[in-house]
Amino acid sequence: MALQPPSPGPRAPRAALPGGTCSGSWGCVITSPTWWMLSAAHDILKTETNHTATPNVTNSSRYDCNEISTAAVLLADILPTLIIKFTAPFYIHQIPYNYRVSLCILTAAASFLIVSFSTQVAISLLGVVFASISSGVGEITFLSLTAFFTSDVVSWWSSGTGGAGILGALSYLGLTAAGLSPRSSLLVMLIIPALLLIRCSLFSCFFLVILSSWSRHPLSHDGSFPASYISSDRSDERPLLDGPSPRVSGTSSHRTMADKWKIVRSLLKYMLPLSLVYFAEYFINQGLYELIYFPNIKMSHSMQYRWYQMLYQAGVFISRSSVQCFKIRHIWILAFLQCGLAIFLLMGVAYLFLPSLTLPGIFLIIIFEGLLGGAAYVNTFNNIAIESKAEDQEFAMSVACVSDTLGISLSGAIAIPVHNYFCRLS
């Protein structure tokens, strides 16, 4: 039966549900490996022997420190993504979607296997790099595809990626709390690339939705994309299904470099504050979490770190799912609050007054940090989706996703010397 174009009127919002659900589930699965690696960062840095749980800490310091900062894991997890996001908007449209998703599957599986069986930190970090490649390619691919939807799909995607964070952190926390070693827990999570493969094989309806009921560029009555939007009918450029390519041609495909830079400049009012939010956020996560330690309780240092990661991801998930309830246009407000929180926690680590807040108090602060970060992410992309021209939105989304990655990369570079400074204090 031929696919029919969407009918106008009050039924259109209901047609959005399948596409939004697919977008959210893809966001959850695609970005899971990177959150797993960050949740396991404290354990990954202990892998200098055949037993992952063997500690390797600096005992002469007033802080309970790993010899290597968890920011090293952050940099391994984010620098490949940064390179991909900086360069991909200018060439990735030449790579078929099925090739991109295949790369995501292979690199995600490789990441879990390498980290699980590694006995050296350097090899473990190589595994983290593979997770970064998987998430980087996946994020820029599927976020740019939201250009084919109404702006509401951004909230579904953001909610899915937020769900990936809490799913990764909570499952890692649960598996290790149940007695599994970090290595065994990572092997269990080979289910993630398996899910990616299943979705590619059985749920390519996501792309059908793009080309049909929820698309800004509806299908013609014979199920094909209108001729004005078809740039190639080569079979190897069809996205995971037998049909014409959904890439938009015309104005978007003939955009000059000057046009692209003009779009980038128009996005800076959102990209800069988002970068600042993520700089402060991940400076806290990978530079300070490890140094916020309550020694006289039953919970081990590693378990405290896992709880910090899980509660942070819970805050992110809640706020990334909130854009349908309230919208924030001034992202600078969130940047100011997040930077203030980072300064407060840095002073707390330096002057050792955070234990007076008690562990539940620290938990609440971490949840608030996650709420700020998630709100900045979803509102940035929602604002861009609303304000961008239809023919520019795919490129704008691809470019804008660089901003959070840039902030994270800078925070990792600064967090390492800060960690080393505190860990040298006796």
Side-chain angles (χ1 to χ4, degrees):
M1 179 182 296
L3 293 172
Q4 298 297 320
S7 58
R11 293 180 59 85
R14 289 198 294 272
L17 182 59
T21 303
C22 284
S23 177
S25 59
W26 271 109
C28 183
V29 176
I30 282 289
T31 57
S32 288
T34 190
W35 300 124
W36 259 81
M37 297 305 166
L38 292 180
S39 297
H42 195 261
D43 295 311
I44 288 173
L45 295 175
K46 296 177 180 179
T47 355
E48 285 289 358
T49 71
N50 289 329
H51 301 284
T52 305
T54 301
N56 184 14
V57 297
T58 303
N59 294 318
S60 60
S61 171
R62 71 175 70 168
Y63 301 93
D64 185 25
C65 299
N66 277 309
E67 291 181 358
I68 303 174
S69 169
T70 53
V73 176
L74 177 65
L75 287 177
D77 194 50
I78 206 64
L79 287 180
T81 297
L82 179 65
I83 295 171
I84 290 169
K85 288 183 177 181
F86 257 124
T87 60
F90 300 97
Y91 64 79
I92 200 167
H93 60 281
Q94 302 291 342
I95 304 174
Y97 288 103
N98 51 348
Y99 292 176
R100 300 187 217 172
V101 178
S102 297
L103 178 63
C104 292
I105 295 171
L106 293 174
T107 50
S111 69
F112 287 118
L113 289 170
I114 291 172
V115 174
S116 296
F117 291 106
S118 169
T119 58
Q120 297 181 2
V121 170
I123 302 300
S124 297
L125 293 179
L126 177 62
V128 177
V129 167
F130 276 94
S132 178
I133 294 171
S134 176
S135 295
V137 173
E139 183 177 0
I140 199 167
T141 295
F142 290 98
L143 188 56
S144 64
L145 281 173
T146 61
F148 293 97
F149 293 117
T150 62
S151 61
D152 288 345
V153 77
V154 176
S155 66
W156 287 90
W157 166 264
S158 299
S159 181
T161 55
I166 191 171
L167 176 64
L170 185 59
S171 56
Y172 186 73
L173 172 65
L175 290 171
T176 52
L180 270 69
S181 67
R183 172 177 297 175
S184 298
S185 299
L186 288 169
L187 286 174
V188 168
M189 293 316 295
L190 282 169
I191 191 174
I192 297 297
L195 286 174
L196 277 169
L197 182 61
I198 291 171
R199 285 202 65 81
C200 285
S201 301
L202 301 180
F203 294 96
S204 58
C205 65
F206 174 70
F207 294 96
L208 283 172
V209 172
I210 287 177
L211 298 178
S212 58
S213 63
W214 211 36
S215 177
R216 287 184 170 184
H217 313 297
L219 293 173
S220 60
H221 286 277
D222 63 358
S224 63
F225 216 61
S228 60
Y229 295 109
I230 299 174
S231 59
S232 172
D233 55 4
R234 287 173 48 195
S235 60
D236 66 338
E237 295 195 10
R238 294 171 187 166
L240 306 182
L241 59 98
D242 290 328
S245 171
R247 295 191 198 97
V248 177
S249 62
T251 303
S252 60
S253 64
H254 294 90
R255 189 184 294 114
T256 65
M257 187 64 67
D259 293 333
K260 292 179 178 180
W261 282 118
K262 183 178 179 180
I263 295 171
V264 171
R265 288 195 299 271
S266 71
L267 298 175
L268 291 179
K269 62 182 178 180
Y270 295 123
M271 294 175 64
L272 291 178
L274 183 63
S275 292
L276 194 56
V277 167
Y278 271 78
F279 169 80
E281 188 172 336
Y282 278 84
F283 177 77
I284 295 171
N285 290 3
Q286 308 305 135
L288 301 180
Y289 274 4
E290 185 185 3
L291 304 175
I292 302 174
Y293 173 50
F294 292 80
N296 299 318
I297 60 175
K298 293 182 179 180
M299 194 181 298
S300 69
H301 191 177
S302 292
M303 187 58 69
Q304 289 179 42
Y305 183 87
R306 295 167 197 158
W307 270 100
Y308 295 161
Q309 291 288 345
M310 191 279 293
L311 291 170
Y312 157 75
Q313 296 293 353
V316 169
F317 174 68
I318 292 170
S319 57
R320 285 197 181 190
S321 306
S322 67
V323 75
Q324 296 299 330
C325 301
F326 61 92
K327 296 176 173 63
I328 301 173
R329 293 191 56 81
H330 302 292
I331 310 300
W332 282 107
I333 296 174
L334 303 175
F336 175 80
L337 291 173
Q338 196 75 292
C339 289
L341 186 59
I343 293 171
F344 171 78
L345 291 176
L346 179 62
M347 293 298 101
V349 168
Y351 294 102
L352 301 175
F353 65 75
L354 291 179
S356 64
L357 301 179
T358 72
L359 188 60
I362 294 297
F363 283 173
L364 290 175
I365 291 174
I366 289 172
I367 292 172
F368 180 63
E369 176 211 351
L371 289 171
L372 292 176
Y377 181 93
V378 67
N379 282 281
T380 292
F381 288 105
N382 186 67
N383 292 340
I384 292 172
I386 293 172
E387 296 179 10
S388 298
K389 297 178 181 178
E391 63 270 20
D392 294 336
Q393 189 176 330
E394 184 178 8
F395 176 76
M397 286 294 192
S398 298
V399 169
C401 69
V402 171
S403 50
D404 59 336
T405 308
L406 179 60
I408 295 170
S409 301
L410 293 175
S411 71
I414 292 177
I416 290 177
V418 170
H419 168 274
N420 293 340
Y421 168 77
F422 281 119
C423 289
R424 283 196 297 265
L425 298 177
S426 58

